[in-house]
């Protein structure tokens, strides 16, 4: 299995010098504010499909920023199902690991992905720089709102309620275009894919929901 520790060992430090920080900064205010010392110990990793970037219990050694593809934080439920805690397509992953002794979940590549690995000690020192710290705090505030919304959704009892909540909070004007398979969406909703399919079919039959390929519209 591919792991972060194995990837970091096999990625030479010289890879950091090949990073185009001017282009990276244009795509992310956080990367734009990242101080030079942290940039110099940042590596570019290529993560294959379904590979594990890290596993529950591993000791964090880097902070990860997903440049392309998709990384997910996942945990197994008591019934053996997969619950998606975070999906990152262009941004930081597992922000809480900055001061934690071990990861509390797994990080798996849902697509072949390019990831920046910023040495954790250097990242921690970067937080002493006001410009970077202020942007990091603003980022964490947005992430906290996202996590609260996700927790609120998982507290709802029925599949129908979770579907409606997702469309209301993640879509616009009662409509959303799914950017993932329904099986993956079920995991994000904390449901089995069978339970989600049944709920969607019932809602469509009752005229409450219209489904057109990946587009869902609440009537």
């Amino acid at each position: 299995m591919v792991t972060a520790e194995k990837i970091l060992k096999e990625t030479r430090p010289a890879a950091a010098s090949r990073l185009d920080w001017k282009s990276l900064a244009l795509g992310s205010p956080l990367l734009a504010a990242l101080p030079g010392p942290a940039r110099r110990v940042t590596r570019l990793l290529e993560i294959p499909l379904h590979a594990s970037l890290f596993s529950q219990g591993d000791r964090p050694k880097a902070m990860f920023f997903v440049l392309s593809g998709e990384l997910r934080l996942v945990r197994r439920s008591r019934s053996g199902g997969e619950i998606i805690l975070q999906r990152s397509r262009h941004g930081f992953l597992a922000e809480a690991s900055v001061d934690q002794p071990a990861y509390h979940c797994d990080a798996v590549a849902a697509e072949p992905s390019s990831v920046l690995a910023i040495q954790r000690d250097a990242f921690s020192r970067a937080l002493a720089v006001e410009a970077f710290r202020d942007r990091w705090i603003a980022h964490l505030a947005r992430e906290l709102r996202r996590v609260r919304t996700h927790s609120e959704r998982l507290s709802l009892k029925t599949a129908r309620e979770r579907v409606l909540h997702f469309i209301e909070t993640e879509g616009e004007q009662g409509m959303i275009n799914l950017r993932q398979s329904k099986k993956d969406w079920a995991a994000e909703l904390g449901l089995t894919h069978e339970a989600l399919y049944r709920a969607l079919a019932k809602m469509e039959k009752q005229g409450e929901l219209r489904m057109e390929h990946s587009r869902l519209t609440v009537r």
Side-chain angles (χ1 to χ4, degrees), residues 105-147:
C105 53
D106 302 332
V108 180
E111 302 173 9
S113 304
S114 296
V115 179
L116 292 179
I118 308 167
Q119 189 182 92
R120 192 171 76 153
D121 289 345
F123 187 92
S124 296
R125 290 191 292 270
L127 292 174
V129 179
E130 184 178 1
F132 182 69
R133 182 177 64 248
D134 288 349
R135 292 191 179 186
W136 182 247
I137 290 172
H139 166 74
L140 292 181
R142 290 191 298 271
E143 183 64 14
L144 178 58
R145 290 192 291 271
R146 186 200 67 80
V147 170

Side-chain angles (χ1 to χ4, degrees), residues 61-179:
K61 295 183 178 180
M63 297 297 291
F64 299 107
F65 186 97
V66 181
L67 291 175
S68 64
E70 182 178 315
L71 268 291
R72 297 176 181 176
L73 295 185
V74 298
R75 186 179 293 166
R76 292 288 175 181
S77 66
R78 292 181 180 180
S79 61
E82 187 179 86
I83 298 176
I84 299 175
L85 304 177
Q86 182 184 10
R87 297 170 61 227
S88 181
R89 298 191 64 87
H90 186 76
F92 277 94
L93 181 77
E95 291 90 339
S97 65
V98 69
D99 63 350
Q100 294 298 302
Y103 291 112
H104 301 290
C105 53
D106 302 332
V108 180
E111 302 173 9
S113 304
S114 296
V115 179
L116 292 179
I118 308 167
Q119 189 182 92
R120 192 171 76 153
D121 289 345
F123 187 92
S124 296
R125 290 191 292 270
L127 292 174
V129 179
E130 184 178 1
F132 182 69
R133 182 177 64 248
D134 288 349
R135 292 191 179 186
W136 182 247
I137 290 172
H139 166 74
L140 292 181
R142 290 191 298 271
E143 183 64 14
L144 178 58
R145 290 192 291 271
R146 186 200 67 80
V147 170
R148 284 180 172 172
T149 299
H150 185 62
S151 297
E152 180 182 75
R153 186 179 304 131
L154 293 180
S155 71
L156 299 174
K157 293 183 178 180
T158 68
R160 172 186 172 277
E161 289 174 318
R162 295 185 190 185
V163 167
L164 292 175
H165 184 278
F166 185 91
I167 297 174
E168 177 184 350
T169 58
E170 305 296 332
E172 292 184 2
Q173 297 181 337
M175 186 274 290
I176 193 167
N177 282 306
L178 289 178
R179 298 180 61 184

